[in-house]
Amino acid sequence: AQTVTQSQPEMSVQEAETVTLSCTYDTSESNYYLFWYKQPPSRQMILVIRQEAYKQQNATENRFSVNFQKAAKSFSLKISDSQLGDTAMYFCAFMKPSNFGNEKLTFGTGTRLTIIP
Amino acid sequence: DSGVTQTPKHLITATGQRVTLRCSPRSGDLSVYWYQQSLDQGLQFLIQYYNGEERAKGNILERFSAQQFPDLHSELNLSSLELGDSALYFCASGSGRSNEKLFFGSGTQLSVL
């Protein structure tokens, strides 16, 4: 079974600064997907970024980028030029693809990020 | 807007009661997943349906059941409710073709009093 660990329960950073959220995972699979989801106070789960394990290039979505270290089983999220709207709970998640359409996400416990004005 | 619709947004009920949560997936998506988010358990996968058939089961209690209908909407039935069942219940949908992304609804907040 896969496990996802987020060791930082809470973080805070000044607006416009850069912050990095950590995530490690454990799996014996070679092909998988990794995700970061954001859950703002509205409690909606919003997909931030996705990484395919077979791709060496780190995924980037505007101010959000990841540092994917497959050998170390590490998947950190970097938020550049942080904004007040980035204040949210951030969840790291793992998915093992399947030919049977029964993939599921395994989530970490989350990191609560607060952007300070 | 993720395109996944969940109703109702809030539900308040008493212990021992039964409730039904509804989810309509994004247009074209065949897979529906149910997750429970609680303070002590975090986000837990409950069950998944693909085109009307159960495909995967997670930490779902025997008091809970689900189904997916021919129009692909899904319902999660929770019975003999206990205080500990109070949680935010999410539905997510995916294409079912080696799902690469899951999109979540806004959730149903269940409060059992």
Side-chain angles (χ1 to χ4, degrees), chain A residues 33 35 37 39 42-45 47 50 52 91 95 97-98 100-108, chain B residues 2 31 33 35 37 43 45 48 50 55-56 88 90 96 98-106 109:
Chain A
Y33 300 102
F35 303 81
Y37 278 87
Q39 188 177 38
S42 66
R43 307 195 77 172
Q44 173 80 46
M45 290 290 286
L47 176 63
R50 175 177 65 105
E52 297 96 330
F91 291 95
M95 176 192 282
S98 164
F100 305 103
N102 61 345
E103 301 88 346
K104 66 178 178 70
L105 287 167
T106 300
F107 287 92
Chain B
S2 67
S31 273
Y33 299 75
Y35 283 83
Q37 185 179 29
L43 274 157
F45 167 69
Q48 182 223 353
Y50 173 77
R55 277 295 175 91
L88 182 59
F90 281 110
S98 186
N99 291 333
E100 297 180 359
K101 295 181 183 179
L102 296 188
F103 292 90
F104 284 76
S106 56
Q109 180 66 58

mmCIF file of all heavy atoms in Angstrom, chain A residues 33 35 37 39 42-45 47 50 52 91 95 97-98 100-108, chain B residues 2 31 33 35 37 43 45 48 50 55-56 88 90 96 98-106 109:
data_model
loop_
_atom_site.group_PDB
_atom_site.id
_atom_site.type_symbol
_atom_site.label_atom_id
_atom_site.label_comp_id
_atom_site.label_asym_id
_atom_site.label_seq_id
_atom_site.Cartn_x
_atom_site.Cartn_y
_atom_site.Cartn_z
ATOM 1 N N TYR A 33 1.292 8.781 -10.535
ATOM 2 C CA TYR A 33 1.097 10.229 -10.637
ATOM 3 C C TYR A 33 1.124 10.819 -9.229
ATOM 4 O O TYR A 33 0.679 10.194 -8.264
ATOM 5 C CB TYR A 33 -0.253 10.559 -11.274
ATOM 6 C CG TYR A 33 -0.423 10.022 -12.670
ATOM 7 C CD1 TYR A 33 -1.178 8.876 -12.913
ATOM 8 C CD2 TYR A 33 0.158 10.664 -13.756
ATOM 9 C CE1 TYR A 33 -1.339 8.381 -14.189
ATOM 10 C CE2 TYR A 33 -0.002 10.178 -15.040
ATOM 11 C CZ TYR A 33 -0.754 9.036 -15.251
ATOM 12 O OH TYR A 33 -0.920 8.550 -16.526
ATOM 13 N N PHE A 35 0.171 14.530 -7.090
ATOM 14 C CA PHE A 35 -0.654 15.729 -7.196
ATOM 15 C C PHE A 35 -0.478 16.604 -5.959
ATOM 16 O O PHE A 35 -0.167 16.120 -4.867
ATOM 17 C CB PHE A 35 -2.148 15.352 -7.265
ATOM 18 C CG PHE A 35 -2.524 14.429 -8.382
ATOM 19 C CD1 PHE A 35 -2.322 13.059 -8.262
ATOM 20 C CD2 PHE A 35 -3.089 14.919 -9.542
ATOM 21 C CE1 PHE A 35 -2.679 12.201 -9.285
ATOM 22 C CE2 PHE A 35 -3.453 14.063 -10.566
ATOM 23 C CZ PHE A 35 -3.249 12.695 -10.436
ATOM 24 N N TYR A 37 -3.168 19.255 -4.181
ATOM 25 C CA TYR A 37 -4.500 19.843 -4.145
ATOM 26 C C TYR A 37 -4.509 20.942 -3.094
ATOM 27 O O TYR A 37 -3.854 20.850 -2.054
ATOM 28 C CB TYR A 37 -5.567 18.798 -3.785
ATOM 29 C CG TYR A 37 -6.027 17.947 -4.944
ATOM 30 C CD1 TYR A 37 -5.342 16.783 -5.275
ATOM 31 C CD2 TYR A 37 -7.134 18.301 -5.695
ATOM 32 C CE1 TYR A 37 -5.766 15.994 -6.338
ATOM 33 C CE2 TYR A 37 -7.563 17.511 -6.762
ATOM 34 C CZ TYR A 37 -6.874 16.365 -7.070
ATOM 35 O OH TYR A 37 -7.295 15.583 -8.123
ATOM 36 N N GLN A 39 -7.009 23.310 -0.641
ATOM 37 C CA GLN A 39 -8.338 23.415 -0.044
ATOM 38 C C GLN A 39 -8.436 24.732 0.721
ATOM 39 O O GLN A 39 -8.016 24.833 1.867
ATOM 40 C CB GLN A 39 -8.633 22.233 0.881
ATOM 41 C CG GLN A 39 -10.083 22.212 1.372
ATOM 42 C CD GLN A 39 -10.398 21.001 2.229
ATOM 43 O OE1 GLN A 39 -9.586 20.551 3.031
ATOM 44 N NE2 GLN A 39 -11.611 20.465 2.065
ATOM 45 N N SER A 42 -13.128 27.877 1.713
ATOM 46 C CA SER A 42 -14.400 27.450 1.112
ATOM 47 C C SER A 42 -14.562 25.933 1.130
ATOM 48 O O SER A 42 -15.657 25.414 0.903
ATOM 49 C CB SER A 42 -14.485 27.936 -0.338
ATOM 50 O OG SER A 42 -13.500 27.289 -1.136
ATOM 51 N N ARG A 43 -13.441 25.222 1.382
ATOM 52 C CA ARG A 43 -13.388 23.762 1.519
ATOM 53 C C ARG A 43 -13.465 23.022 0.184
ATOM 54 O O ARG A 43 -13.500 21.806 0.162
ATOM 55 C CB ARG A 43 -14.457 23.258 2.492
ATOM 56 C CG ARG A 43 -14.393 23.964 3.840
ATOM 57 C CD ARG A 43 -15.158 23.290 4.902
ATOM 58 N NE ARG A 43 -14.436 22.132 5.397
ATOM 59 C CZ ARG A 43 -14.805 21.415 6.454
ATOM 60 N NH1 ARG A 43 -15.883 21.726 7.116
ATOM 61 N NH2 ARG A 43 -14.109 20.367 6.829
ATOM 62 N N GLN A 44 -13.477 23.767 -0.908
ATOM 63 C CA GLN A 44 -13.416 23.134 -2.223
ATOM 64 C C GLN A 44 -12.029 22.530 -2.419
ATOM 65 O O GLN A 44 -11.040 23.113 -2.020
ATOM 66 C CB GLN A 44 -13.667 24.196 -3.302
ATOM 67 C CG GLN A 44 -13.479 23.725 -4.727
ATOM 68 C CD GLN A 44 -14.675 22.957 -5.239
ATOM 69 O OE1 GLN A 44 -15.819 23.361 -5.074
ATOM 70 N NE2 GLN A 44 -14.418 21.836 -5.886
ATOM 71 N N MET A 45 -11.958 21.348 -3.012
ATOM 72 C CA MET A 45 -10.667 20.726 -3.325
ATOM 73 C C MET A 45 -10.292 21.107 -4.748
ATOM 74 O O MET A 45 -10.975 20.746 -5.699
ATOM 75 C CB MET A 45 -10.770 19.199 -3.201
ATOM 76 C CG MET A 45 -10.924 18.714 -1.786
ATOM 77 S SD MET A 45 -9.427 18.931 -0.819
ATOM 78 C CE MET A 45 -8.407 17.637 -1.502
ATOM 79 N N LEU A 47 -7.390 21.201 -7.796
ATOM 80 C CA LEU A 47 -6.145 20.644 -8.290
ATOM 81 C C LEU A 47 -5.174 21.775 -8.610
ATOM 82 O O LEU A 47 -5.495 22.694 -9.353
ATOM 83 C CB LEU A 47 -6.414 19.806 -9.545
ATOM 84 C CG LEU A 47 -5.202 19.221 -10.243
ATOM 85 C CD1 LEU A 47 -4.476 18.238 -9.332
ATOM 86 C CD2 LEU A 47 -5.617 18.535 -11.538
ATOM 87 N N ARG A 50 0.118 18.577 -11.238
ATOM 88 C CA ARG A 50 0.230 17.122 -11.381
ATOM 89 C C ARG A 50 1.591 16.793 -11.992
ATOM 90 O O ARG A 50 2.081 17.515 -12.854
ATOM 91 C CB ARG A 50 -0.878 16.621 -12.295
ATOM 92 C CG ARG A 50 -0.842 15.162 -12.651
ATOM 93 C CD ARG A 50 -2.031 14.804 -13.506
ATOM 94 N NE ARG A 50 -1.983 15.480 -14.799
ATOM 95 C CZ ARG A 50 -1.656 14.890 -15.942
ATOM 96 N NH1 ARG A 50 -1.328 13.612 -15.940
ATOM 97 N NH2 ARG A 50 -1.667 15.553 -17.063
ATOM 98 N N GLU A 52 3.781 13.392 -13.600
ATOM 99 C CA GLU A 52 3.858 11.982 -13.978
ATOM 100 C C GLU A 52 5.228 11.452 -13.572
ATOM 101 O O GLU A 52 6.243 12.101 -13.854
ATOM 102 C CB GLU A 52 3.680 11.813 -15.490
ATOM 103 C CG GLU A 52 2.332 12.250 -16.004
ATOM 104 C CD GLU A 52 2.331 13.677 -16.535
ATOM 105 O OE1 GLU A 52 3.122 14.501 -16.037
ATOM 106 O OE2 GLU A 52 1.533 13.964 -17.435
ATOM 107 N N PHE A 91 -2.769 19.601 0.145
ATOM 108 C CA PHE A 91 -2.654 18.157 0.269
ATOM 109 C C PHE A 91 -1.819 17.593 -0.874
ATOM 110 O O PHE A 91 -2.056 17.905 -2.050
ATOM 111 C CB PHE A 91 -4.035 17.493 0.230
ATOM 112 C CG PHE A 91 -4.885 17.776 1.424
ATOM 113 C CD1 PHE A 91 -5.803 18.813 1.400
ATOM 114 C CD2 PHE A 91 -4.770 17.009 2.576
ATOM 115 C CE1 PHE A 91 -6.596 19.083 2.506
ATOM 116 C CE2 PHE A 91 -5.559 17.268 3.680
ATOM 117 C CZ PHE A 91 -6.467 18.309 3.646
ATOM 118 N N MET A 95 -1.317 8.658 -6.906
ATOM 119 C CA MET A 95 -2.242 7.808 -7.660
ATOM 120 C C MET A 95 -1.459 6.786 -8.466
ATOM 121 O O MET A 95 -0.533 7.145 -9.198
ATOM 122 C CB MET A 95 -3.112 8.638 -8.605
ATOM 123 C CG MET A 95 -4.024 7.784 -9.480
ATOM 124 S SD MET A 95 -4.780 8.714 -10.820
ATOM 125 C CE MET A 95 -6.081 9.554 -9.912
ATOM 126 N N PRO A 97 -1.779 4.417 -11.553
ATOM 127 C CA PRO A 97 -2.681 4.218 -12.677
ATOM 128 C C PRO A 97 -3.038 2.752 -12.854
ATOM 129 O O PRO A 97 -2.303 1.868 -12.438
ATOM 130 C CB PRO A 97 -1.884 4.741 -13.878
ATOM 131 C CG PRO A 97 -0.466 4.667 -13.458
ATOM 132 C CD PRO A 97 -0.448 4.828 -11.976
ATOM 133 N N SER A 98 -4.207 2.533 -13.472
ATOM 134 C CA SER A 98 -4.693 1.178 -13.651
ATOM 135 C C SER A 98 -5.372 1.059 -14.999
ATOM 136 O O SER A 98 -5.903 2.034 -15.518
ATOM 137 C CB SER A 98 -5.688 0.851 -12.533
ATOM 138 O OG SER A 98 -6.454 -0.283 -12.852
ATOM 139 N N PHE A 100 -7.890 -0.743 -15.285
ATOM 140 C CA PHE A 100 -9.239 -1.137 -14.949
ATOM 141 C C PHE A 100 -10.092 0.047 -14.508
ATOM 142 O O PHE A 100 -11.211 -0.135 -14.074
ATOM 143 C CB PHE A 100 -9.210 -2.207 -13.850
ATOM 144 C CG PHE A 100 -8.369 -3.387 -14.212
ATOM 145 C CD1 PHE A 100 -7.110 -3.542 -13.673
ATOM 146 C CD2 PHE A 100 -8.830 -4.330 -15.104
ATOM 147 C CE1 PHE A 100 -6.315 -4.622 -14.014
ATOM 148 C CE2 PHE A 100 -8.047 -5.423 -15.452
ATOM 149 C CZ PHE A 100 -6.784 -5.575 -14.906
ATOM 150 N N GLY A 101 -9.536 1.234 -14.597
ATOM 151 C CA GLY A 101 -10.299 2.424 -14.240
ATOM 152 C C GLY A 101 -10.602 2.518 -12.771
ATOM 153 O O GLY A 101 -11.618 3.090 -12.384
ATOM 154 N N ASN A 102 -9.768 1.937 -11.928
ATOM 155 C CA ASN A 102 -10.044 1.993 -10.489
ATOM 156 C C ASN A 102 -8.922 2.667 -9.718
ATOM 157 O O ASN A 102 -8.578 2.276 -8.621
ATOM 158 C CB ASN A 102 -10.313 0.596 -9.928
ATOM 159 C CG ASN A 102 -9.127 -0.331 -10.100
ATOM 160 O OD1 ASN A 102 -8.220 -0.042 -10.870
ATOM 161 N ND2 ASN A 102 -9.128 -1.423 -9.375
ATOM 162 N N GLU A 103 -8.366 3.710 -10.321
ATOM 163 C CA GLU A 103 -7.360 4.448 -9.578
ATOM 164 C C GLU A 103 -8.008 5.235 -8.452
ATOM 165 O O GLU A 103 -9.138 5.674 -8.571
ATOM 166 C CB GLU A 103 -6.647 5.441 -10.510
ATOM 167 C CG GLU A 103 -5.966 4.800 -11.697
ATOM 168 C CD GLU A 103 -6.891 4.661 -12.884
ATOM 169 O OE1 GLU A 103 -8.123 4.815 -12.719
ATOM 170 O OE2 GLU A 103 -6.391 4.403 -13.976
ATOM 171 N N LYS A 104 -7.297 5.390 -7.386
ATOM 172 C CA LYS A 104 -7.787 6.252 -6.317
ATOM 173 C C LYS A 104 -6.627 7.091 -5.810
ATOM 174 O O LYS A 104 -5.474 6.750 -5.973
ATOM 175 C CB LYS A 104 -8.376 5.432 -5.179
ATOM 176 C CG LYS A 104 -7.379 4.560 -4.424
ATOM 177 C CD LYS A 104 -8.068 3.833 -3.293
ATOM 178 C CE LYS A 104 -7.120 2.924 -2.537
ATOM 179 N NZ LYS A 104 -6.135 3.690 -1.754
ATOM 180 N N LEU A 105 -6.968 8.213 -5.226
ATOM 181 C CA LEU A 105 -5.969 9.095 -4.649
ATOM 182 C C LEU A 105 -5.732 8.734 -3.192
ATOM 183 O O LEU A 105 -6.682 8.551 -2.431
ATOM 184 C CB LEU A 105 -6.434 10.546 -4.733
ATOM 185 C CG LEU A 105 -6.426 11.209 -6.112
ATOM 186 C CD1 LEU A 105 -7.207 12.507 -6.052
ATOM 187 C CD2 LEU A 105 -5.009 11.447 -6.575
ATOM 188 N N THR A 106 -4.467 8.648 -2.841
ATOM 189 C CA THR A 106 -4.083 8.512 -1.441
ATOM 190 C C THR A 106 -3.497 9.847 -1.009
ATOM 191 O O THR A 106 -2.540 10.331 -1.616
ATOM 192 C CB THR A 106 -3.046 7.399 -1.260
ATOM 193 O OG1 THR A 106 -3.606 6.164 -1.707
ATOM 194 C CG2 THR A 106 -2.643 7.276 0.203
ATOM 195 N N PHE A 107 -4.080 10.434 0.022
ATOM 196 C CA PHE A 107 -3.710 11.777 0.449
ATOM 197 C C PHE A 107 -2.792 11.769 1.655
ATOM 198 O O PHE A 107 -2.857 10.872 2.505
ATOM 199 C CB PHE A 107 -4.966 12.574 0.820
ATOM 200 C CG PHE A 107 -5.797 13.005 -0.345
ATOM 201 C CD1 PHE A 107 -6.830 12.207 -0.798
ATOM 202 C CD2 PHE A 107 -5.555 14.208 -0.981
ATOM 203 C CE1 PHE A 107 -7.608 12.597 -1.878
ATOM 204 C CE2 PHE A 107 -6.328 14.619 -2.054
ATOM 205 C CZ PHE A 107 -7.351 13.807 -2.508
ATOM 206 N N GLY A 108 -1.980 12.814 1.740
ATOM 207 C CA GLY A 108 -1.258 13.098 2.965
ATOM 208 C C GLY A 108 -2.170 13.821 3.939
ATOM 209 O O GLY A 108 -3.341 14.075 3.639
ATOM 210 N N SER B 2 -15.636 23.011 -10.827
ATOM 211 C CA SER B 2 -15.037 21.758 -11.281
ATOM 212 C C SER B 2 -15.936 21.004 -12.240
ATOM 213 O O SER B 2 -15.472 20.098 -12.939
ATOM 214 C CB SER B 2 -14.732 20.867 -10.070
ATOM 215 O OG SER B 2 -15.941 20.444 -9.443
ATOM 216 N N SER B 31 -16.291 7.671 -14.088
ATOM 217 C CA SER B 31 -15.920 7.233 -12.738
ATOM 218 C C SER B 31 -16.364 8.246 -11.696
ATOM 219 O O SER B 31 -16.207 9.452 -11.885
ATOM 220 C CB SER B 31 -14.405 7.075 -12.628
ATOM 221 O OG SER B 31 -13.991 5.807 -13.038
ATOM 222 N N TYR B 33 -15.917 8.813 -7.452
ATOM 223 C CA TYR B 33 -15.239 8.410 -6.221
ATOM 224 C C TYR B 33 -15.882 9.144 -5.054
ATOM 225 O O TYR B 33 -16.218 10.322 -5.170
ATOM 226 C CB TYR B 33 -13.765 8.801 -6.255
ATOM 227 C CG TYR B 33 -12.950 8.182 -7.363
ATOM 228 C CD1 TYR B 33 -13.069 8.625 -8.685
ATOM 229 C CD2 TYR B 33 -12.031 7.170 -7.094
ATOM 230 C CE1 TYR B 33 -12.308 8.070 -9.690
ATOM 231 C CE2 TYR B 33 -11.261 6.614 -8.099
ATOM 232 C CZ TYR B 33 -11.407 7.065 -9.398
ATOM 233 O OH TYR B 33 -10.652 6.519 -10.398
ATOM 234 N N TYR B 35 -15.148 10.300 -1.060
ATOM 235 C CA TYR B 35 -14.147 10.481 -0.017
ATOM 236 C C TYR B 35 -14.813 11.091 1.211
ATOM 237 O O TYR B 35 -15.745 11.878 1.106
ATOM 238 C CB TYR B 35 -13.032 11.423 -0.479
ATOM 239 C CG TYR B 35 -12.030 10.792 -1.405
ATOM 240 C CD1 TYR B 35 -12.283 10.696 -2.775
ATOM 241 C CD2 TYR B 35 -10.829 10.294 -0.919
ATOM 242 C CE1 TYR B 35 -11.360 10.112 -3.624
ATOM 243 C CE2 TYR B 35 -9.904 9.708 -1.770
ATOM 244 C CZ TYR B 35 -10.173 9.621 -3.119
ATOM 245 O OH TYR B 35 -9.259 9.048 -3.958
ATOM 246 N N GLN B 37 -13.834 13.360 4.631
ATOM 247 C CA GLN B 37 -12.818 14.174 5.274
ATOM 248 C C GLN B 37 -13.264 14.511 6.690
ATOM 249 O O GLN B 37 -14.256 15.201 6.894
ATOM 250 C CB GLN B 37 -12.543 15.458 4.501
ATOM 251 C CG GLN B 37 -11.400 16.269 5.093
ATOM 252 C CD GLN B 37 -11.102 17.529 4.308
ATOM 253 O OE1 GLN B 37 -11.970 18.109 3.668
ATOM 254 N NE2 GLN B 37 -9.850 17.963 4.323
ATOM 255 N N LEU B 43 -8.425 12.707 4.869
ATOM 256 C CA LEU B 43 -9.177 12.363 3.656
ATOM 257 C C LEU B 43 -9.081 10.861 3.414
ATOM 258 O O LEU B 43 -8.008 10.339 3.126
ATOM 259 C CB LEU B 43 -8.612 13.112 2.455
ATOM 260 C CG LEU B 43 -9.156 14.504 2.219
ATOM 261 C CD1 LEU B 43 -8.174 15.331 1.418
ATOM 262 C CD2 LEU B 43 -10.493 14.426 1.498
ATOM 263 N N PHE B 45 -10.533 7.480 1.314
ATOM 264 C CA PHE B 45 -11.264 6.961 0.170
ATOM 265 C C PHE B 45 -12.320 5.968 0.658
ATOM 266 O O PHE B 45 -12.017 5.086 1.462
ATOM 267 C CB PHE B 45 -10.285 6.277 -0.782
ATOM 268 C CG PHE B 45 -10.929 5.439 -1.843
ATOM 269 C CD1 PHE B 45 -11.657 6.018 -2.866
ATOM 270 C CD2 PHE B 45 -10.790 4.057 -1.829
ATOM 271 C CE1 PHE B 45 -12.239 5.242 -3.848
ATOM 272 C CE2 PHE B 45 -11.372 3.271 -2.801
ATOM 273 C CZ PHE B 45 -12.100 3.862 -3.819
ATOM 274 N N GLN B 48 -15.519 3.551 -5.124
ATOM 275 C CA GLN B 48 -15.495 4.066 -6.483
ATOM 276 C C GLN B 48 -16.425 3.264 -7.377
ATOM 277 O O GLN B 48 -16.506 2.035 -7.274
ATOM 278 C CB GLN B 48 -14.091 4.003 -7.072
ATOM 279 C CG GLN B 48 -14.008 4.572 -8.479
ATOM 280 C CD GLN B 48 -13.176 3.750 -9.445
ATOM 281 O OE1 GLN B 48 -12.530 2.789 -9.045
ATOM 282 N NE2 GLN B 48 -13.182 4.111 -10.712
ATOM 283 N N TYR B 50 -17.549 2.840 -11.596
ATOM 284 C CA TYR B 50 -17.195 3.127 -12.974
ATOM 285 C C TYR B 50 -18.324 2.631 -13.860
ATOM 286 O O TYR B 50 -18.601 1.430 -13.890
ATOM 287 C CB TYR B 50 -15.872 2.458 -13.348
ATOM 288 C CG TYR B 50 -15.525 2.574 -14.809
ATOM 289 C CD1 TYR B 50 -15.023 3.750 -15.331
ATOM 290 C CD2 TYR B 50 -15.714 1.495 -15.674
ATOM 291 C CE1 TYR B 50 -14.709 3.862 -16.674
ATOM 292 C CE2 TYR B 50 -15.410 1.591 -17.005
ATOM 293 C CZ TYR B 50 -14.911 2.782 -17.507
ATOM 294 O OH TYR B 50 -14.607 2.892 -18.841
ATOM 295 N N ARG B 55 -15.960 -0.490 -8.522
ATOM 296 C CA ARG B 55 -14.628 -0.854 -8.996
ATOM 297 C C ARG B 55 -13.611 -0.972 -7.862
ATOM 298 O O ARG B 55 -12.658 -1.719 -7.957
ATOM 299 C CB ARG B 55 -14.120 0.178 -9.988
ATOM 300 C CG ARG B 55 -14.606 -0.017 -11.402
ATOM 301 C CD ARG B 55 -14.076 -1.300 -12.017
ATOM 302 N NE ARG B 55 -14.626 -1.559 -13.329
ATOM 303 C CZ ARG B 55 -14.073 -1.149 -14.454
ATOM 304 N NH1 ARG B 55 -12.952 -0.464 -14.416
ATOM 305 N NH2 ARG B 55 -14.641 -1.428 -15.610
ATOM 306 N N ALA B 56 -13.777 -0.198 -6.836
ATOM 307 C CA ALA B 56 -12.812 -0.244 -5.738
ATOM 308 C C ALA B 56 -13.502 0.164 -4.447
ATOM 309 O O ALA B 56 -14.427 0.970 -4.453
ATOM 310 C CB ALA B 56 -11.631 0.684 -6.013
ATOM 311 N N LEU B 88 -17.042 15.954 6.222
ATOM 312 C CA LEU B 88 -17.275 16.516 4.893
ATOM 313 C C LEU B 88 -17.110 15.367 3.898
ATOM 314 O O LEU B 88 -16.073 14.700 3.895
ATOM 315 C CB LEU B 88 -16.266 17.630 4.610
ATOM 316 C CG LEU B 88 -16.364 18.389 3.295
ATOM 317 C CD1 LEU B 88 -17.726 19.054 3.152
ATOM 318 C CD2 LEU B 88 -15.260 19.439 3.234
ATOM 319 N N PHE B 90 -16.871 14.182 0.106
ATOM 320 C CA PHE B 90 -16.572 14.648 -1.244
ATOM 321 C C PHE B 90 -16.879 13.574 -2.268
ATOM 322 O O PHE B 90 -16.669 12.384 -2.038
ATOM 323 C CB PHE B 90 -15.084 14.985 -1.379
ATOM 324 C CG PHE B 90 -14.679 16.302 -0.810
ATOM 325 C CD1 PHE B 90 -13.906 16.361 0.332
ATOM 326 C CD2 PHE B 90 -15.045 17.485 -1.434
ATOM 327 C CE1 PHE B 90 -13.505 17.572 0.859
ATOM 328 C CE2 PHE B 90 -14.652 18.709 -0.910
ATOM 329 C CZ PHE B 90 -13.887 18.747 0.235
ATOM 330 N N GLY B 96 -12.132 7.687 -16.273
ATOM 331 C CA GLY B 96 -12.184 6.224 -16.272
ATOM 332 C C GLY B 96 -11.188 5.602 -17.227
ATOM 333 O O GLY B 96 -10.994 4.397 -17.212
ATOM 334 N N SER B 98 -7.753 5.278 -17.510
ATOM 335 C CA SER B 98 -6.526 5.501 -16.767
ATOM 336 C C SER B 98 -6.557 6.929 -16.222
ATOM 337 O O SER B 98 -5.757 7.783 -16.601
ATOM 338 C CB SER B 98 -5.303 5.304 -17.666
ATOM 339 O OG SER B 98 -4.122 5.377 -16.910
ATOM 340 N N ASN B 99 -7.505 7.139 -15.342
ATOM 341 C CA ASN B 99 -7.730 8.472 -14.762
ATOM 342 C C ASN B 99 -6.423 9.140 -14.392
ATOM 343 O O ASN B 99 -5.650 8.616 -13.613
ATOM 344 C CB ASN B 99 -8.574 8.352 -13.504
ATOM 345 C CG ASN B 99 -9.995 7.932 -13.814
ATOM 346 O OD1 ASN B 99 -10.487 8.186 -14.887
ATOM 347 N ND2 ASN B 99 -10.632 7.288 -12.865
ATOM 348 N N GLU B 100 -6.217 10.278 -14.943
ATOM 349 C CA GLU B 100 -5.021 11.018 -14.604
ATOM 350 C C GLU B 100 -5.333 12.194 -13.699
ATOM 351 O O GLU B 100 -4.450 12.702 -13.041
ATOM 352 C CB GLU B 100 -4.339 11.501 -15.873
ATOM 353 C CG GLU B 100 -3.858 10.351 -16.746
ATOM 354 C CD GLU B 100 -3.187 10.849 -17.999
ATOM 355 O OE1 GLU B 100 -3.117 12.065 -18.196
ATOM 356 O OE2 GLU B 100 -2.750 10.008 -18.798
ATOM 357 N N LYS B 101 -6.548 12.643 -13.716
ATOM 358 C CA LYS B 101 -6.940 13.755 -12.863
ATOM 359 C C LYS B 101 -8.326 13.475 -12.301
ATOM 360 O O LYS B 101 -9.197 12.983 -13.015
ATOM 361 C CB LYS B 101 -7.002 15.069 -13.643
ATOM 362 C CG LYS B 101 -5.688 15.561 -14.175
ATOM 363 C CD LYS B 101 -5.866 16.884 -14.900
ATOM 364 C CE LYS B 101 -4.569 17.349 -15.508
ATOM 365 N NZ LYS B 101 -4.737 18.639 -16.231
ATOM 366 N N LEU B 102 -8.472 13.774 -11.049
ATOM 367 C CA LEU B 102 -9.784 13.703 -10.437
ATOM 368 C C LEU B 102 -10.229 15.114 -10.082
ATOM 369 O O LEU B 102 -9.439 15.909 -9.552
ATOM 370 C CB LEU B 102 -9.767 12.846 -9.173
ATOM 371 C CG LEU B 102 -9.431 11.362 -9.345
ATOM 372 C CD1 LEU B 102 -9.644 10.619 -8.038
ATOM 373 C CD2 LEU B 102 -10.257 10.730 -10.448
ATOM 374 N N PHE B 103 -11.486 15.413 -10.382
ATOM 375 C CA PHE B 103 -12.031 16.727 -10.074
ATOM 376 C C PHE B 103 -13.086 16.553 -8.997
ATOM 377 O O PHE B 103 -13.952 15.700 -9.085
ATOM 378 C CB PHE B 103 -12.624 17.361 -11.335
ATOM 379 C CG PHE B 103 -11.574 17.704 -12.356
ATOM 380 C CD1 PHE B 103 -11.201 16.785 -13.319
ATOM 381 C CD2 PHE B 103 -10.948 18.936 -12.329
ATOM 382 C CE1 PHE B 103 -10.218 17.078 -14.246
ATOM 383 C CE2 PHE B 103 -9.960 19.246 -13.256
ATOM 384 C CZ PHE B 103 -9.597 18.321 -14.215
ATOM 385 N N PHE B 104 -12.995 17.401 -7.988
ATOM 386 C CA PHE B 104 -13.831 17.257 -6.810
ATOM 387 C C PHE B 104 -15.020 18.205 -6.831
ATOM 388 O O PHE B 104 -14.925 19.344 -7.310
ATOM 389 C CB PHE B 104 -13.008 17.541 -5.549
ATOM 390 C CG PHE B 104 -12.097 16.424 -5.162
ATOM 391 C CD1 PHE B 104 -10.917 16.194 -5.849
ATOM 392 C CD2 PHE B 104 -12.423 15.580 -4.111
ATOM 393 C CE1 PHE B 104 -10.073 15.156 -5.498
ATOM 394 C CE2 PHE B 104 -11.582 14.529 -3.744
ATOM 395 C CZ PHE B 104 -10.408 14.320 -4.448
ATOM 396 N N GLY B 105 -16.130 17.725 -6.284
ATOM 397 C CA GLY B 105 -17.257 18.584 -6.006
ATOM 398 C C GLY B 105 -16.974 19.424 -4.777
ATOM 399 O O GLY B 105 -15.912 19.312 -4.154
ATOM 400 N N SER B 106 -17.924 20.262 -4.409
ATOM 401 C CA SER B 106 -17.736 21.175 -3.277
ATOM 402 C C SER B 106 -18.041 20.516 -1.941
ATOM 403 O O SER B 106 -17.854 21.121 -0.896
ATOM 404 C CB SER B 106 -18.599 22.420 -3.454
ATOM 405 O OG SER B 106 -19.950 22.046 -3.622
ATOM 406 N N GLN B 109 -21.396 18.765 3.776
ATOM 407 C CA GLN B 109 -21.035 18.787 5.187
ATOM 408 C C GLN B 109 -22.143 18.124 5.987
ATOM 409 O O GLN B 109 -23.254 18.645 6.056
ATOM 410 C CB GLN B 109 -20.823 20.215 5.672
ATOM 411 C CG GLN B 109 -20.436 20.321 7.142
ATOM 412 C CD GLN B 109 -19.079 19.730 7.433
ATOM 413 O OE1 GLN B 109 -18.065 20.123 6.870
ATOM 414 N NE2 GLN B 109 -19.035 18.742 8.336
#
